[in-house]
Amino acid sequence: MGQVAVMEVTGFIAAGESATALAYIKARRGLSPRQIMLIILICTLAVGIPVGAGLSGSWFAAAVSVEFAFIGTLVGSLIVQRLTGPMMRRALAERGQAYEHPFTFRLTPEALVYDSVDLTMTARWSCVTDIYKTRKYWVFLVQSSAIILPRRFFNTPEVERAFIAEATARLTEAARLRSPDTAAFLRD
């Protein structure tokens, strides 16, 4: 099968969507937000309860106070999440910017091109280190940066498979070897 000269997908991407996706992408290189929250919970319990028990003289009182502190942290996190979206929309509107932007992800023989409104980024294929799939995104690692492609941009699984096959064909051999879940997706 020969390479197609240019292949692209288009859709809309929300402001902040890349940042949200990248938080989960970090799990590939380190800790995901869920793993971080689990570590904080364990440390809160493992340190907070013994210290509280030592200070108050009661294991029960220490456990209850640590539980309430953790519940307060969880409620605060949910409030922050609820407020962030509307505040971001308002801030963007004040600057005359839209919350959603048209976005085109293009494969050319020379490079991967990310095109959104007035911003265009180009990455030569030689600097794309690997491609992998998350539940909602395809992630193209470009040196130390990640470029996301929402999976919802593909109308059918066949279109998605053809696009990813074309992108994979343009990778260096080393990058293909670092992309085992992409190879598995194409085999399925």
Side-chain angles (χ1 to χ4, degrees):
M1 178 169 111
Q3 288 186 355
V4 177
V6 175
M7 192 172 203
E8 68 181 36
V9 290
T10 302
F12 285 86
I13 194 162
E17 184 175 356
S18 291
T20 301
L22 293 177
Y24 290 93
I25 292 164
K26 288 178 183 175
R28 186 166 171 102
R29 295 187 207 156
L31 297 174
S32 73
R34 287 187 184 118
Q35 291 167 324
I36 291 169
M37 288 302 294
L38 182 61
I39 290 169
I40 291 171
L41 170 63
I42 291 169
C43 289
T44 300
L45 295 173
V47 174
I49 292 175
V51 169
L55 293 173
S56 71
S58 167
W59 284 95
F60 178 75
V64 169
S65 64
V66 168
E67 279 184 41
F68 284 126
F70 187 74
I71 290 170
T73 302
L74 185 63
V75 169
S77 297
L78 292 173
I79 290 170
V80 167
Q81 280 183 332
R82 288 281 197 200
L83 293 175
T84 300
M87 291 176 78
M88 177 185 276
R89 285 183 183 92
R90 203 169 24 257
L92 289 169
E94 288 171 2
R95 292 179 181 91
Q97 296 177 318
Y99 179 68
E100 289 190 331
H101 301 281
F103 171 84
T104 300
F105 201 93
R106 187 175 302 112
L107 310 176
T108 72
E110 301 79 29
L112 166 71
V113 181
Y114 167 107
D115 196 0
S116 181
V117 189
D118 294 328
L119 172 68
T120 300
M121 294 189 314
T122 303
R124 289 185 192 88
W125 288 110
S126 61
C127 69
V128 178
T129 60
D130 60 308
I131 303 172
Y132 65 94
K133 180 178 75 158
T134 68
R135 194 168 54 89
K136 295 182 179 182
Y137 303 97
W138 280 101
V139 181
F140 291 72
L141 289 180
V142 179
Q143 293 177 346
S144 62
S145 299
I147 298 175
I148 66 155
L149 171 58
R151 295 185 68 201
R152 68 179 180 274
F153 282 19
F154 300 104
N155 297 330
T156 65
E158 294 77 22
V159 171
E160 180 179 18
R161 186 174 312 285
F163 191 89
I164 296 305
E166 191 67 35
T168 303
R170 295 168 193 242
L171 294 175
T172 64
E173 183 62 28
R176 274 194 293 279
L177 291 172
R178 284 188 296 269
S179 305
D181 46 341
T182 303
F185 171 79
L186 296 174
R187 277 193 308 270
D188 293 341

